């Protein structure tokens, strides 16, 4: 929840700090990955969404439709560069 709140406030530093702390305290799972991808989507940060998907995939964490949809939503923040983000 904190990831989403600070993402909506556009506080990238705080989002990164929360993400780093969360990964130190908990193993990456579907819920944590989902929160990070949703926060990346709030920022329009397609690279972070893709990096999180890659990390989930490399860690054998299940990726579902919600994760993909959120990652696609991150592309919306790219404005006229959406085609490159996709």
């Amino acid at each position: 929840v904190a990831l989403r709140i600070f993402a909506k406030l556009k506080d990238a530093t705080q989002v990164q700090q929360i993400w780093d702390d969360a990964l130190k305290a908990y193993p990456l799972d579907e819920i944590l990955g989902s929160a990070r991808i949703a926060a990346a989507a709030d920022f329009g940060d397609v690279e972070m969404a893709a990096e999180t998907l890659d990390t989930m995939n490399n860690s054998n964490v299940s990726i579902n439709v919600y994760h993909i949809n959120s990652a696609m939503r991150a592309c919306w923040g790219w404005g006229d560069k959406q085609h490159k983000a996709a």
Side-chain angles (χ1 to χ4, degrees), residues 35-82:
R36 183 60 183 109
I37 295 168
D42 290 339
F43 269 108
D45 187 348
V46 71
E47 284 120 354
M48 181 52 69
E51 180 181 313
T52 304
L53 286 172
D54 286 343
T55 302
M56 290 173 68
N57 188 48
N58 293 335
S59 301
N60 295 317
V61 174
S62 295
I63 296 172
N64 62 42
V65 172
Y66 180 77
H67 297 110
I68 302 301
N69 285 342
S70 290
M72 289 171 52
R73 193 169 58 86
C75 296
W76 296 350
W78 276 53
D80 63 347
K81 295 181 261 182
Q82 289 177 5

mmCIF file of all heavy atoms in Angstrom, residues 35-82:
data_model
loop_
_atom_site.group_PDB
_atom_site.id
_atom_site.type_symbol
_atom_site.label_atom_id
_atom_site.label_comp_id
_atom_site.label_asym_id
_atom_site.label_seq_id
_atom_site.Cartn_x
_atom_site.Cartn_y
_atom_site.Cartn_z
ATOM 1 N N ALA A 35 2.433 -4.927 -6.348
ATOM 2 C CA ALA A 35 2.471 -3.571 -5.781
ATOM 3 C C ALA A 35 3.528 -2.715 -6.480
ATOM 4 O O ALA A 35 3.296 -1.541 -6.777
ATOM 5 C CB ALA A 35 2.753 -3.635 -4.286
ATOM 6 N N ARG A 36 4.688 -3.313 -6.777
ATOM 7 C CA ARG A 36 5.759 -2.538 -7.426
ATOM 8 C C ARG A 36 5.397 -2.196 -8.861
ATOM 9 O O ARG A 36 5.668 -1.092 -9.334
ATOM 10 C CB ARG A 36 7.085 -3.316 -7.369
ATOM 11 C CG ARG A 36 8.241 -2.520 -7.965
ATOM 12 C CD ARG A 36 8.423 -1.230 -7.189
ATOM 13 N NE ARG A 36 9.453 -0.389 -7.735
ATOM 14 C CZ ARG A 36 9.231 0.762 -8.384
ATOM 15 N NH1 ARG A 36 7.999 1.188 -8.597
ATOM 16 N NH2 ARG A 36 10.226 1.493 -8.810
ATOM 17 N N ILE A 37 4.788 -3.144 -9.564
ATOM 18 C CA ILE A 37 4.396 -2.870 -10.943
ATOM 19 C C ILE A 37 3.298 -1.813 -10.982
ATOM 20 O O ILE A 37 3.323 -0.917 -11.830
ATOM 21 C CB ILE A 37 3.959 -4.164 -11.655
ATOM 22 C CG1 ILE A 37 5.148 -5.119 -11.780
ATOM 23 C CG2 ILE A 37 3.385 -3.855 -13.038
ATOM 24 C CD1 ILE A 37 4.765 -6.523 -12.196
ATOM 25 N N ALA A 38 2.350 -1.883 -10.055
ATOM 26 C CA ALA A 38 1.290 -0.873 -9.994
ATOM 27 C C ALA A 38 1.867 0.507 -9.693
ATOM 28 O O ALA A 38 1.437 1.510 -10.268
ATOM 29 C CB ALA A 38 0.245 -1.267 -8.952
ATOM 30 N N ALA A 39 2.859 0.556 -8.803
ATOM 31 C CA ALA A 39 3.511 1.840 -8.509
ATOM 32 C C ALA A 39 4.245 2.351 -9.742
ATOM 33 O O ALA A 39 4.204 3.546 -10.050
ATOM 34 C CB ALA A 39 4.473 1.692 -7.334
ATOM 35 N N ALA A 40 4.903 1.458 -10.468
ATOM 36 C CA ALA A 40 5.580 1.855 -11.708
ATOM 37 C C ALA A 40 4.559 2.383 -12.713
ATOM 38 O O ALA A 40 4.826 3.371 -13.414
ATOM 39 C CB ALA A 40 6.343 0.669 -12.299
ATOM 40 N N ALA A 41 3.400 1.762 -12.767
ATOM 41 C CA ALA A 41 2.352 2.228 -13.679
ATOM 42 C C ALA A 41 1.875 3.624 -13.286
ATOM 43 O O ALA A 41 1.620 4.470 -14.146
ATOM 44 C CB ALA A 41 1.185 1.242 -13.682
ATOM 45 N N ASP A 42 1.746 3.878 -11.976
ATOM 46 C CA ASP A 42 1.341 5.213 -11.510
ATOM 47 C C ASP A 42 2.335 6.276 -11.947
ATOM 48 O O ASP A 42 1.956 7.420 -12.209
ATOM 49 C CB ASP A 42 1.199 5.234 -9.987
ATOM 50 C CG ASP A 42 0.000 4.440 -9.491
ATOM 51 O OD1 ASP A 42 -0.936 4.210 -10.284
ATOM 52 O OD2 ASP A 42 0.007 4.044 -8.309
ATOM 53 N N PHE A 43 3.614 5.913 -12.031
ATOM 54 C CA PHE A 43 4.660 6.832 -12.477
ATOM 55 C C PHE A 43 4.777 6.890 -13.996
ATOM 56 O O PHE A 43 5.398 7.792 -14.537
ATOM 57 C CB PHE A 43 6.024 6.377 -11.954
ATOM 58 C CG PHE A 43 6.412 6.961 -10.641
ATOM 59 C CD1 PHE A 43 6.418 6.172 -9.514
ATOM 60 C CD2 PHE A 43 6.782 8.284 -10.522
ATOM 61 C CE1 PHE A 43 6.788 6.693 -8.290
ATOM 62 C CE2 PHE A 43 7.153 8.816 -9.309
ATOM 63 C CZ PHE A 43 7.155 8.010 -8.186
ATOM 64 N N GLY A 44 4.259 5.870 -14.672
ATOM 65 C CA GLY A 44 4.512 5.757 -16.106
ATOM 66 C C GLY A 44 5.921 5.268 -16.351
ATOM 67 O O GLY A 44 6.552 5.581 -17.355
ATOM 68 N N ASP A 45 6.433 4.454 -15.425
ATOM 69 C CA ASP A 45 7.807 3.965 -15.478
ATOM 70 C C ASP A 45 7.827 2.550 -16.045
ATOM 71 O O ASP A 45 7.837 1.558 -15.312
ATOM 72 C CB ASP A 45 8.410 4.000 -14.081
ATOM 73 C CG ASP A 45 9.886 3.680 -14.048
ATOM 74 O OD1 ASP A 45 10.417 3.196 -15.072
ATOM 75 O OD2 ASP A 45 10.506 3.907 -12.989
ATOM 76 N N VAL A 46 7.814 2.463 -17.369
ATOM 77 C CA VAL A 46 7.742 1.169 -18.028
ATOM 78 C C VAL A 46 9.000 0.340 -17.787
ATOM 79 O O VAL A 46 8.931 -0.889 -17.698
ATOM 80 C CB VAL A 46 7.437 1.331 -19.530
ATOM 81 C CG1 VAL A 46 8.607 1.905 -20.278
ATOM 82 C CG2 VAL A 46 6.993 0.032 -20.138
ATOM 83 N N GLU A 47 10.137 0.979 -17.632
ATOM 84 C CA GLU A 47 11.360 0.229 -17.374
ATOM 85 C C GLU A 47 11.308 -0.490 -16.031
ATOM 86 O O GLU A 47 11.726 -1.646 -15.924
ATOM 87 C CB GLU A 47 12.590 1.149 -17.434
ATOM 88 C CG GLU A 47 12.971 1.508 -18.847
ATOM 89 C CD GLU A 47 12.926 2.999 -19.077
ATOM 90 O OE1 GLU A 47 12.486 3.735 -18.176
ATOM 91 O OE2 GLU A 47 13.306 3.421 -20.168
ATOM 92 N N MET A 48 10.794 0.182 -15.007
ATOM 93 C CA MET A 48 10.693 -0.459 -13.701
ATOM 94 C C MET A 48 9.658 -1.581 -13.728
ATOM 95 O O MET A 48 9.863 -2.629 -13.114
ATOM 96 C CB MET A 48 10.347 0.551 -12.608
ATOM 97 C CG MET A 48 10.257 -0.090 -11.221
ATOM 98 S SD MET A 48 11.704 -1.091 -10.718
ATOM 99 C CE MET A 48 12.928 0.172 -10.508
ATOM 100 N N ALA A 49 8.567 -1.370 -14.443
ATOM 101 C CA ALA A 49 7.561 -2.433 -14.568
ATOM 102 C C ALA A 49 8.179 -3.652 -15.245
ATOM 103 O O ALA A 49 8.020 -4.786 -14.768
ATOM 104 C CB ALA A 49 6.352 -1.926 -15.351
ATOM 105 N N ALA A 50 8.923 -3.429 -16.328
ATOM 106 C CA ALA A 50 9.552 -4.531 -17.047
ATOM 107 C C ALA A 50 10.634 -5.193 -16.192
ATOM 108 O O ALA A 50 10.754 -6.424 -16.173
ATOM 109 C CB ALA A 50 10.152 -4.031 -18.356
ATOM 110 N N GLU A 51 11.402 -4.402 -15.470
ATOM 111 C CA GLU A 51 12.445 -4.952 -14.597
ATOM 112 C C GLU A 51 11.825 -5.827 -13.508
ATOM 113 O O GLU A 51 12.350 -6.897 -13.189
ATOM 114 C CB GLU A 51 13.245 -3.821 -13.962
ATOM 115 C CG GLU A 51 14.343 -4.299 -13.037
ATOM 116 C CD GLU A 51 15.101 -3.134 -12.404
ATOM 117 O OE1 GLU A 51 15.473 -2.196 -13.125
ATOM 118 O OE2 GLU A 51 15.313 -3.206 -11.175
ATOM 119 N N THR A 52 10.705 -5.371 -12.959
ATOM 120 C CA THR A 52 10.027 -6.158 -11.926
ATOM 121 C C THR A 52 9.503 -7.462 -12.498
ATOM 122 O O THR A 52 9.643 -8.523 -11.876
ATOM 123 C CB THR A 52 8.890 -5.342 -11.282
ATOM 124 O OG1 THR A 52 9.424 -4.116 -10.771
ATOM 125 C CG2 THR A 52 8.238 -6.113 -10.147
ATOM 126 N N LEU A 53 8.926 -7.415 -13.698
ATOM 127 C CA LEU A 53 8.472 -8.646 -14.349
ATOM 128 C C LEU A 53 9.646 -9.597 -14.589
ATOM 129 O O LEU A 53 9.529 -10.805 -14.362
ATOM 130 C CB LEU A 53 7.771 -8.337 -15.670
ATOM 131 C CG LEU A 53 6.371 -7.744 -15.583
ATOM 132 C CD1 LEU A 53 5.896 -7.313 -16.964
ATOM 133 C CD2 LEU A 53 5.398 -8.727 -14.958
ATOM 134 N N ASP A 54 10.764 -9.058 -15.042
ATOM 135 C CA ASP A 54 11.959 -9.883 -15.256
ATOM 136 C C ASP A 54 12.429 -10.528 -13.956
ATOM 137 O O ASP A 54 12.775 -11.715 -13.924
ATOM 138 C CB ASP A 54 13.100 -9.063 -15.856
ATOM 139 C CG ASP A 54 12.908 -8.731 -17.318
ATOM 140 O OD1 ASP A 54 12.072 -9.384 -17.978
ATOM 141 O OD2 ASP A 54 13.600 -7.814 -17.799
ATOM 142 N N THR A 55 12.454 -9.736 -12.894
ATOM 143 C CA THR A 55 12.885 -10.255 -11.595
ATOM 144 C C THR A 55 11.939 -11.348 -11.107
ATOM 145 O O THR A 55 12.378 -12.388 -10.605
ATOM 146 C CB THR A 55 12.963 -9.121 -10.558
ATOM 147 O OG1 THR A 55 13.874 -8.124 -11.032
ATOM 148 C CG2 THR A 55 13.425 -9.628 -9.205
ATOM 149 N N MET A 56 10.635 -11.113 -11.281
ATOM 150 C CA MET A 56 9.662 -12.135 -10.889
ATOM 151 C C MET A 56 9.881 -13.411 -11.697
ATOM 152 O O MET A 56 9.893 -14.510 -11.137
ATOM 153 C CB MET A 56 8.238 -11.619 -11.097
ATOM 154 C CG MET A 56 7.832 -10.522 -10.135
ATOM 155 S SD MET A 56 6.226 -9.796 -10.535
ATOM 156 C CE MET A 56 5.135 -11.175 -10.167
ATOM 157 N N ASN A 57 10.061 -13.270 -12.984
ATOM 158 C CA ASN A 57 10.261 -14.427 -13.856
ATOM 159 C C ASN A 57 11.535 -15.186 -13.471
ATOM 160 O O ASN A 57 11.528 -16.413 -13.372
ATOM 161 C CB ASN A 57 10.316 -13.978 -15.316
ATOM 162 C CG ASN A 57 10.334 -15.131 -16.272
ATOM 163 O OD1 ASN A 57 9.535 -16.056 -16.163
ATOM 164 N ND2 ASN A 57 11.241 -15.079 -17.234
ATOM 165 N N ASN A 58 12.609 -14.458 -13.239
ATOM 166 C CA ASN A 58 13.883 -15.088 -12.864
ATOM 167 C C ASN A 58 13.837 -15.736 -11.483
ATOM 168 O O ASN A 58 14.640 -16.611 -11.188
ATOM 169 C CB ASN A 58 15.019 -14.071 -12.925
ATOM 170 C CG ASN A 58 15.305 -13.618 -14.341
ATOM 171 O OD1 ASN A 58 15.026 -14.326 -15.303
ATOM 172 N ND2 ASN A 58 15.844 -12.415 -14.475
ATOM 173 N N SER A 59 12.892 -15.270 -10.639
ATOM 174 C CA SER A 59 12.744 -15.823 -9.289
ATOM 175 C C SER A 59 11.655 -16.888 -9.222
ATOM 176 O O SER A 59 11.271 -17.312 -8.136
ATOM 177 C CB SER A 59 12.405 -14.695 -8.307
ATOM 178 O OG SER A 59 13.419 -13.723 -8.301
ATOM 179 N N ASN A 60 11.137 -17.273 -10.384
ATOM 180 C CA ASN A 60 10.061 -18.267 -10.466
ATOM 181 C C ASN A 60 8.798 -17.861 -9.711
ATOM 182 O O ASN A 60 8.094 -18.701 -9.159
ATOM 183 C CB ASN A 60 10.539 -19.645 -9.991
ATOM 184 C CG ASN A 60 11.606 -20.199 -10.911
ATOM 185 O OD1 ASN A 60 11.500 -20.107 -12.126
ATOM 186 N ND2 ASN A 60 12.644 -20.761 -10.321
ATOM 187 N N VAL A 61 8.536 -16.547 -9.674
ATOM 188 C CA VAL A 61 7.298 -16.036 -9.090
ATOM 189 C C VAL A 61 6.268 -15.990 -10.219
ATOM 190 O O VAL A 61 6.571 -15.510 -11.314
ATOM 191 C CB VAL A 61 7.508 -14.630 -8.484
ATOM 192 C CG1 VAL A 61 6.197 -14.033 -8.010
ATOM 193 C CG2 VAL A 61 8.521 -14.698 -7.354
ATOM 194 N N SER A 62 5.079 -16.495 -9.945
ATOM 195 C CA SER A 62 4.034 -16.528 -10.965
ATOM 196 C C SER A 62 3.664 -15.122 -11.416
ATOM 197 O O SER A 62 3.523 -14.214 -10.593
ATOM 198 C CB SER A 62 2.778 -17.213 -10.422
ATOM 199 O OG SER A 62 3.039 -18.559 -10.146
ATOM 200 N N ILE A 63 3.528 -14.971 -12.719
ATOM 201 C CA ILE A 63 3.095 -13.709 -13.316
ATOM 202 C C ILE A 63 1.707 -13.962 -13.890
ATOM 203 O O ILE A 63 1.511 -14.901 -14.661
ATOM 204 C CB ILE A 63 4.072 -13.266 -14.411
ATOM 205 C CG1 ILE A 63 5.441 -12.981 -13.810
ATOM 206 C CG2 ILE A 63 3.535 -12.040 -15.152
ATOM 207 C CD1 ILE A 63 6.538 -12.720 -14.812
ATOM 208 N N ASN A 64 0.749 -13.137 -13.482
ATOM 209 C CA ASN A 64 -0.614 -13.331 -13.960
ATOM 210 C C ASN A 64 -1.077 -12.136 -14.795
ATOM 211 O O ASN A 64 -0.310 -11.196 -15.037
ATOM 212 C CB ASN A 64 -1.559 -13.622 -12.785
ATOM 213 C CG ASN A 64 -1.639 -12.479 -11.801
ATOM 214 O OD1 ASN A 64 -1.702 -11.322 -12.177
ATOM 215 N ND2 ASN A 64 -1.644 -12.796 -10.513
ATOM 216 N N VAL A 65 -2.300 -12.193 -15.219
ATOM 217 C CA VAL A 65 -2.859 -11.161 -16.091
ATOM 218 C C VAL A 65 -2.799 -9.784 -15.431
ATOM 219 O O VAL A 65 -2.511 -8.784 -16.093
ATOM 220 C CB VAL A 65 -4.311 -11.520 -16.485
ATOM 221 C CG1 VAL A 65 -4.981 -10.387 -17.228
ATOM 222 C CG2 VAL A 65 -4.330 -12.783 -17.320
ATOM 223 N N TYR A 66 -3.039 -9.715 -14.132
ATOM 224 C CA TYR A 66 -3.005 -8.427 -13.444
ATOM 225 C C TYR A 66 -1.616 -7.796 -13.555
ATOM 226 O O TYR A 66 -1.496 -6.587 -13.780
ATOM 227 C CB TYR A 66 -3.396 -8.586 -11.971
ATOM 228 C CG TYR A 66 -3.373 -7.287 -11.228
ATOM 229 C CD1 TYR A 66 -4.401 -6.365 -11.376
ATOM 230 C CD2 TYR A 66 -2.299 -6.945 -10.415
ATOM 231 C CE1 TYR A 66 -4.367 -5.145 -10.720
ATOM 232 C CE2 TYR A 66 -2.254 -5.735 -9.756
ATOM 233 C CZ TYR A 66 -3.299 -4.842 -9.917
ATOM 234 O OH TYR A 66 -3.249 -3.634 -9.275
ATOM 235 N N HIS A 67 -0.574 -8.590 -13.396
ATOM 236 C CA HIS A 67 0.791 -8.057 -13.517
ATOM 237 C C HIS A 67 1.022 -7.484 -14.918
ATOM 238 O O HIS A 67 1.569 -6.384 -15.066
ATOM 239 C CB HIS A 67 1.826 -9.158 -13.243
ATOM 240 C CG HIS A 67 1.780 -9.710 -11.869
ATOM 241 N ND1 HIS A 67 1.336 -10.975 -11.606
ATOM 242 C CD2 HIS A 67 2.117 -9.169 -10.670
ATOM 243 C CE1 HIS A 67 1.409 -11.200 -10.296
ATOM 244 N NE2 HIS A 67 1.873 -10.120 -9.711
ATOM 245 N N ILE A 68 0.605 -8.223 -15.925
ATOM 246 C CA ILE A 68 0.790 -7.780 -17.314
ATOM 247 C C ILE A 68 -0.025 -6.521 -17.589
ATOM 248 O O ILE A 68 0.478 -5.571 -18.207
ATOM 249 C CB ILE A 68 0.415 -8.900 -18.300
ATOM 250 C CG1 ILE A 68 1.258 -10.150 -18.054
ATOM 251 C CG2 ILE A 68 0.530 -8.423 -19.739
ATOM 252 C CD1 ILE A 68 2.746 -9.965 -18.181
ATOM 253 N N ASN A 69 -1.272 -6.505 -17.124
ATOM 254 C CA ASN A 69 -2.118 -5.318 -17.340
ATOM 255 C C ASN A 69 -1.519 -4.084 -16.685
ATOM 256 O O ASN A 69 -1.521 -2.995 -17.268
ATOM 257 C CB ASN A 69 -3.535 -5.553 -16.814
ATOM 258 C CG ASN A 69 -4.347 -6.444 -17.713
ATOM 259 O OD1 ASN A 69 -4.012 -6.644 -18.879
ATOM 260 N ND2 ASN A 69 -5.411 -6.993 -17.176
ATOM 261 N N SER A 70 -1.007 -4.234 -15.481
ATOM 262 C CA SER A 70 -0.385 -3.094 -14.801
ATOM 263 C C SER A 70 0.864 -2.630 -15.537
ATOM 264 O O SER A 70 1.115 -1.430 -15.652
ATOM 265 C CB SER A 70 -0.033 -3.458 -13.356
ATOM 266 O OG SER A 70 -1.194 -3.606 -12.585
ATOM 267 N N ALA A 71 1.642 -3.583 -16.023
ATOM 268 C CA ALA A 71 2.845 -3.221 -16.781
ATOM 269 C C ALA A 71 2.463 -2.480 -18.054
ATOM 270 O O ALA A 71 3.121 -1.499 -18.440
ATOM 271 C CB ALA A 71 3.666 -4.463 -17.099
ATOM 272 N N MET A 72 1.399 -2.917 -18.697
ATOM 273 C CA MET A 72 0.935 -2.220 -19.905
ATOM 274 C C MET A 72 0.449 -0.811 -19.562
ATOM 275 O O MET A 72 0.681 0.133 -20.325
ATOM 276 C CB MET A 72 -0.178 -3.020 -20.571
ATOM 277 C CG MET A 72 0.340 -4.290 -21.227
ATOM 278 S SD MET A 72 -0.948 -5.413 -21.803
ATOM 279 C CE MET A 72 -1.959 -4.361 -22.791
ATOM 280 N N ARG A 73 -0.161 -0.654 -18.389
ATOM 281 C CA ARG A 73 -0.625 0.668 -17.958
ATOM 282 C C ARG A 73 0.554 1.624 -17.767
ATOM 283 O O ARG A 73 0.427 2.837 -17.970
ATOM 284 C CB ARG A 73 -1.437 0.537 -16.669
ATOM 285 C CG ARG A 73 -2.219 1.773 -16.319
ATOM 286 C CD ARG A 73 -3.221 1.520 -15.202
ATOM 287 N NE ARG A 73 -2.644 1.035 -13.979
ATOM 288 C CZ ARG A 73 -2.144 1.812 -13.023
ATOM 289 N NH1 ARG A 73 -2.131 3.131 -13.165
ATOM 290 N NH2 ARG A 73 -1.648 1.277 -11.929
ATOM 291 N N ALA A 74 1.710 1.084 -17.414
ATOM 292 C CA ALA A 74 2.907 1.926 -17.272
ATOM 293 C C ALA A 74 3.261 2.593 -18.594
ATOM 294 O O ALA A 74 3.823 3.682 -18.614
ATOM 295 C CB ALA A 74 4.083 1.101 -16.759
ATOM 296 N N CYS A 75 2.928 1.953 -19.691
ATOM 297 C CA CYS A 75 3.210 2.525 -21.017
ATOM 298 C C CYS A 75 2.413 3.798 -21.267
ATOM 299 O O CYS A 75 2.827 4.636 -22.058
ATOM 300 C CB CYS A 75 2.888 1.518 -22.119
ATOM 301 S SG CYS A 75 3.905 0.038 -22.069
ATOM 302 N N TRP A 76 1.280 3.933 -20.621
ATOM 303 C CA TRP A 76 0.444 5.127 -20.836
ATOM 304 C C TRP A 76 1.193 6.396 -20.473
ATOM 305 O O TRP A 76 0.960 7.440 -21.063
ATOM 306 C CB TRP A 76 -0.825 5.060 -20.007
ATOM 307 C CG TRP A 76 -1.741 3.936 -20.358
ATOM 308 C CD1 TRP A 76 -1.662 3.096 -21.442
ATOM 309 C CD2 TRP A 76 -2.869 3.502 -19.607
ATOM 310 N NE1 TRP A 76 -2.675 2.169 -21.396
ATOM 311 C CE2 TRP A 76 -3.429 2.399 -20.294
ATOM 312 C CE3 TRP A 76 -3.448 3.932 -18.426
ATOM 313 C CZ2 TRP A 76 -4.551 1.741 -19.828
ATOM 314 C CZ3 TRP A 76 -4.563 3.275 -17.963
ATOM 315 C CH2 TRP A 76 -5.107 2.188 -18.660
ATOM 316 N N GLY A 77 2.094 6.326 -19.503
ATOM 317 C CA GLY A 77 2.831 7.499 -19.063
ATOM 318 C C GLY A 77 3.901 7.938 -20.041
ATOM 319 O O GLY A 77 4.557 8.946 -19.837
ATOM 320 N N TRP A 78 4.078 7.190 -21.106
ATOM 321 C CA TRP A 78 5.124 7.515 -22.070
ATOM 322 C C TRP A 78 4.654 8.466 -23.156
ATOM 323 O O TRP A 78 5.405 8.806 -24.050
ATOM 324 C CB TRP A 78 5.672 6.218 -22.686
ATOM 325 C CG TRP A 78 6.715 5.609 -21.828
ATOM 326 C CD1 TRP A 78 6.609 5.307 -20.507
ATOM 327 C CD2 TRP A 78 8.025 5.248 -22.209
ATOM 328 N NE1 TRP A 78 7.767 4.762 -20.053
ATOM 329 C CE2 TRP A 78 8.652 4.709 -21.075
ATOM 330 C CE3 TRP A 78 8.726 5.306 -23.399
ATOM 331 C CZ2 TRP A 78 9.961 4.252 -21.096
ATOM 332 C CZ3 TRP A 78 10.017 4.835 -23.415
ATOM 333 C CH2 TRP A 78 10.623 4.328 -22.269
ATOM 334 N N GLY A 79 3.411 8.892 -23.093
ATOM 335 C CA GLY A 79 2.901 9.874 -24.055
ATOM 336 C C GLY A 79 3.114 9.443 -25.487
ATOM 337 O O GLY A 79 2.709 8.365 -25.893
ATOM 338 N N ASP A 80 3.794 10.272 -26.274
ATOM 339 C CA ASP A 80 3.982 9.983 -27.696
ATOM 340 C C ASP A 80 5.051 8.921 -27.942
ATOM 341 O O ASP A 80 5.323 8.561 -29.079
ATOM 342 C CB ASP A 80 4.312 11.263 -28.464
ATOM 343 C CG ASP A 80 5.617 11.906 -28.018
ATOM 344 O OD1 ASP A 80 6.156 11.516 -26.973
ATOM 345 O OD2 ASP A 80 6.079 12.811 -28.717
ATOM 346 N N LYS A 81 5.660 8.385 -26.869
ATOM 347 C CA LYS A 81 6.666 7.328 -27.017
ATOM 348 C C LYS A 81 6.113 5.963 -26.635
ATOM 349 O O LYS A 81 6.855 5.032 -26.437
ATOM 350 C CB LYS A 81 7.880 7.662 -26.166
ATOM 351 C CG LYS A 81 8.614 8.911 -26.617
ATOM 352 C CD LYS A 81 9.807 9.160 -25.756
ATOM 353 C CE LYS A 81 9.420 10.199 -24.749
ATOM 354 N NZ LYS A 81 10.465 10.602 -23.841
ATOM 355 N N GLN A 82 4.775 5.831 -26.488
ATOM 356 C CA GLN A 82 4.169 4.577 -26.061
ATOM 357 C C GLN A 82 4.563 3.412 -26.946
ATOM 358 O O GLN A 82 4.799 2.314 -26.454
ATOM 359 C CB GLN A 82 2.639 4.684 -26.057
ATOM 360 C CG GLN A 82 2.090 5.547 -24.971
ATOM 361 C CD GLN A 82 0.591 5.649 -25.073
ATOM 362 O OE1 GLN A 82 -0.038 5.003 -25.903
ATOM 363 N NE2 GLN A 82 -0.009 6.458 -24.227
#
